[in-house]
Amino acid sequence: MLNKMPVDDKVLSYFDVVLRQGDVDLLTGPNWLNDQLLAFYFEFLAREQFRDISEVLLIPGAATYLLTSSGPDIAPIVLDPLDFSSKSLVLFALNDNPDVSHPAGGSHWTLVAYTRSDNTLRHYDSCRGINSHAAKLLYGALLPVVPPKLKLIENCDDDGGGGGFCCPQQENNYDCGMMVLAIAESLFERFVASSTGTIDLKIYPKQVGARELDIKRRALHTLIMNKV
């Protein structure tokens, strides 16, 4: 019988992301995804699946955490080199980690989408809005790099058009990261498919049910192993 690889063994280097065995093992069971896995999939979407689309920017958890934990002067330093001001849609992976001394901490992932056309942040939270404080920190961090009167629409707030803006809620205690990946990919796909740049920003339960996310989890594991 083959021995399992030590958790610290490197499995894959993919552009700026290194995945180790412990990261990949998270995909083989009902586990919370870590920053490395989200960063890998964001990198894959940008570098391969949607490589010809320059109007969308994906910000992984580590960079978002830097924005929310480092004060108001950090946003230009982080975002200007990424040409943030030219992007129509920017997607941030957001973590609820409150401890700056432990960057890998936290217990919940959500997605925040910035749409330049209406200067609005929309917060997709799959667990009863528990990441609201982190979303407000991101809002404050972005004020120096966006036009005046930035709006923040929290989960299930009025979207400004009279309709509710609700993110479907996860059906277990570990799928928040998978929901972030599924929602980010869906919004990216809709942007690509739109001829006007205007997209439907609502997420529907059938897209992110436990069964659909389990299929996506297994597909992500296969994607990584096919690149090894």
Side-chain angles (χ1 to χ4, degrees):
M1 184 173 70
L2 294 175
N3 292 324
K4 289 190 67 176
M5 292 175 62
V7 294
D8 288 335
D9 277 11
K10 185 167 69 174
V11 174
L12 177 66
S13 292
Y14 185 78
F15 295 95
D16 294 331
V17 180
V18 174
L19 293 178
R20 300 190 181 278
Q21 188 61 45
D23 304 322
V24 179
D25 286 346
L26 294 174
L27 294 169
T28 61
N31 300 305
W32 188 83
L33 299 194
N34 64 12
D35 181 74
Q36 290 301 102
L37 290 168
L38 270 71
F40 165 79
Y41 201 63
F42 272 22
E43 197 80 15
F44 168 75
L45 293 177
R47 299 275 190 174
E48 294 192 48
Q49 186 161 330
F50 303 115
R51 61 182 177 272
D52 297 325
I53 307 301
S54 61
E55 300 94 338
V56 179
L57 179 63
L58 297 161
I59 306 293
T64 304
Y65 186 66
L66 188 61
L67 289 168
T68 60
S69 62
S70 302
D73 298 328
I74 196 68
I77 297 172
V78 173
L79 297 174
D80 285 356
L82 302 176
D83 202 17
F84 172 81
S85 63
S86 74
K87 307 303 179 183
S88 300
L89 174 66
V90 184
L91 304 175
F92 298 87
L94 181 67
N95 188 275
D96 66 345
N97 180 17
D99 185 359
V100 295
S101 67
H102 185 46
S107 61
H108 184 51
W109 288 109
T110 54
L111 185 80
V112 177
Y114 173 68
T115 45
R116 190 166 301 278
S117 60
D118 57 1
N119 196 34
T120 297
L121 289 171
R122 289 174 175 83
H123 184 205
Y124 298 83
D125 191 333
S126 63
C127 191
R128 301 178 302 280
I130 65 174
N131 246 12
S132 178
H133 177 66
K136 290 180 173 66
L137 290 176
L138 180 60
Y139 171 91
L142 294 177
L143 290 176
V145 293
V146 298
K149 298 183 180 179
L150 174 68
K151 292 177 287 184
L152 170 63
I153 298 177
E154 282 281 12
N155 202 46
C156 291
D157 283 349
D158 185 357
D159 64 4
F165 171 78
C166 290
C167 176
Q169 300 297 281
Q170 62 196 73
E171 300 174 27
N172 49 53
N173 62 359
Y174 56 83
D175 262 342
C176 56
M178 289 306 309
M179 290 195 76
V180 165
L181 298 184
I183 293 169
E185 184 172 9
S186 177
L187 295 178
F188 211 142
E189 286 176 341
R190 294 179 199 181
F191 183 88
V192 172
S194 172
S195 60
T196 64
T198 300
I199 63 174
D200 178 7
L201 291 159
K202 292 183 180 179
I203 299 297
Y204 302 92
K206 65 180 181 181
Q207 296 176 274
V208 288
R211 179 178 177 276
E212 289 76 16
L213 294 178
D214 182 60
I215 292 171
K216 191 167 188 67
R217 180 183 291 265
R218 288 184 274 118
L220 177 55
H221 184 267
T222 299
L223 173 66
I224 291 169
M225 298 314 297
N226 285 343
K227 291 185 177 297
V228 173

